Amino acid sequence: MKLGDMQQNPRHLINGRWEIGTTTGVSINPSDTREVVAEHARADRNQTEQAVRAASDALASWSHSNPQRRADVLDLIGSELLARKDELGKLLAREEGKTLPEAVAEVARSGQIFKFFAGEALRIPGELHASVRQGVQVDVTREPVGVVGIIAPWNFPFAIPAWKIAPALAYGNTVVFKPAESVPTCGWALSEIISRSGLPAGAFNLIMGSGREAGQTLVDHPLVNAVSFTGSVATGTRVLQAATARRARVQLEMGGKNPLVVLADADLEQAVDCALQGGYFSTGQRCTASSRFIVEAGVHDAFVARLRQRLATLKVGHALERATEMGPVVDETQLAQNLEHIAIARKEGAEHVFGGERLELATPGHYMSPALFLARPEHRIAREEIFGPVACVLRADSYEHALALANDTPFGLCAGICTTSLKRAMHFKRHAQVGMTMVNLPTAGVDFHVPFGGRKDSSYGPREQGSHAAEFYTTVKTGYMLA
Ligand code: TXE
């Protein structure tokens, strides 16, 4: 089978072999629903269990491999992702619908993540302590956790799997990876590169299929020692309950309702840029997207007028067209969900400023115009994650009021502030109840070498990315020795 044929018909990777599925599924281009991106394998419980057993059998070899070998494997994967970023970015744009520049940048970032963890494999930290007992030496070392189940969402089909798979392998774990149903070909393309990197058979396995069957099997399987999940709060909560019931380690990244505070002293153009990028780029389908613009009264009307102007000229279109600034929504279900939220906002009395309509363009796709409303804090549009190009403005009387509004949410992933006051910026950084803060920057758009994650309902377990990833992907051993 040639690579091109495989890309049309992605198979599972189980124990180093490409396997057909028990059933097949199709993935569709959201920019042009006439185009089938691929017909891919789907796994049932039995096939998923085979992948878990393969990962478990490979542990003895990979967990004791030397760090240089792991670094070489990860570096090779990173280099190929970087070298093929244009081609793979095109695939990503076709299957998920983000614009080509966004998609190419995501693939490049995935390559950088693998290269970062190639370095981390050589820097696994340990500690040496003097004992409280005479003549005894104590050391603290880190070991792999075991088999890691990786359950990924559709919105970053290269980067999110990369920032889970790379640390898992760097620290000597073996992996069963399940991409989201709507982006199997991206998951397969990443796995195909990983399959040629020099790993022992079974150290990395790919399973495509439904969350309910393949995903749940990973969560429930006694040989899966840890589960790293990114997705919705509802599914994350189910994953947590099932995995912790059998005492597996769990890490969850879920939703956000991220605020961008705009103070009266802000540079208005910069604030509007931050709002546009953070709220609407990647079609608003980012857990770090800003969906609440909390604007101080003095600048409220000017901000709304300027943002409205910018939204009116934002070019929505086919993800592969050069002029496109915002691609389609990922699928019909998500589009219907977005439109439903817009109907609710109108019904609850939020004031419509712009957009929120389904668009008919030259190709049949899941297009909608970016939406902006003026809301009150109790409106559902100001409280629930929508996960689309839909945002609202909340008026704040003062900085203190803005901060209170920013924290008035069950979520706690990311919060931004636009201000020229160092004092306010520092206060906000300290008092925002989130895992990540941004000053004069969009809430979305993070570095790959520092911790990523949030508080409250947004996240559970240790942070992802950077050297903090070791907290989840390793377990600590304390050794005592009479010297
Ligand atoms: O998510 P799910 P979906 C939010 C966003 C979106 C909503 C639904 O609001 O509208 O979630 O998207 C797998 N056991 N986010 O349906 O269901 C599933 O196959 C194990 C926010 O895509 O959470 C997929 O691989 N796994 C988010 C992954 O879980 C299960 C990004 C996520 O699916 C499972 C994506 C089960 N029982 C969506 N059921 C963000 N914050 O970044 C499903 N899965």
Side-chain angles (χ1 to χ4, degrees), residues 67-132:
Q68 185 61 59
R69 177 166 176 213
R70 294 185 211 161
D72 291 344
V73 162
L74 295 171
D75 191 61
L76 204 65
I77 299 167
S79 296
E80 183 162 344
L81 284 165
L82 287 168
R84 293 174 58 197
K85 66 182 181 352
D86 293 326
E87 169 212 342
L88 295 172
K90 191 167 171 197
L91 169 67
L92 201 175
R94 277 173 62 225
E95 194 165 56
E96 195 268 353
K98 63 184 62 176
T99 65
L100 191 56
E102 288 171 333
V104 170
E106 180 181 333
V107 176
R109 178 173 164 205
S110 309
Q112 287 160 336
I113 290 168
F114 273 95
K115 287 193 168 274
F116 174 82
F117 281 106
E120 287 298 277
L122 299 172
R123 284 190 292 264
I124 298 176
E127 301 162 31
L128 193 60
H129 295 263
S131 169
V132 294

Side-chain angles (χ1 to χ4, degrees), residues 6 36 42 69 87 93 129 134 168 171 214 222 241 245 256 362 392 412 480:
M6 285 225 282
V36 171
R42 282 168 67 88
R69 177 166 176 213
E87 169 212 342
H129 295 263
Q134 194 62 38
Y171 297 116
Q241 281 163 355
C392 65
Y480 296 88

Side-chain angles (χ1 to χ4, degrees), residues 130 157 184 191 299 393:
S191 303
V299 73
V393 178

Side-chain angles (χ1 to χ4, degrees), residues 150-156 160 163 177-183 209-220 227 229-236 238-239 242 253-256 285-288 330-331 333-334 337-338 341 384-388 411 413 452 458:
I150 290 178
I151 300 175
W154 45 263
N155 60 329
F156 284 91
I160 293 179
W163 81 52
F177 163 45
K178 193 200 90 61
E181 288 92 319
S182 48
V183 289
S210 76
R212 213 171 309 138
E213 192 159 11
Q216 193 68 46
T217 303
L218 285 182
V219 173
D220 290 336
V227 177
F229 167 91
T230 301
S232 62
V233 177
T235 305
R238 277 202 296 278
V239 167
E253 290 302 339
M254 300 173 288
Q285 298 173 148
R286 296 185 282 193
C287 48
T288 48
V330 70
D331 60 23
T333 310
Q334 185 69 47
Q337 211 169 292
N338 297 348
H341 271 283
E384 297 174 14
E385 182 179 57
I386 299 174
F387 219 62
F411 295 106
L413 188 58
F452 178 94
S458 289

Side-chain angles (χ1 to χ4, degrees), residues 366-384:
H366 308 299
Y367 299 105
M368 67 175 283
S369 51
L372 184 67
F373 282 82
L374 307 184
R376 289 197 304 273
E378 66 273 19
H379 288 150
R380 283 176 62 186
I381 193 173
R383 304 212 71 80
E384 297 174 14

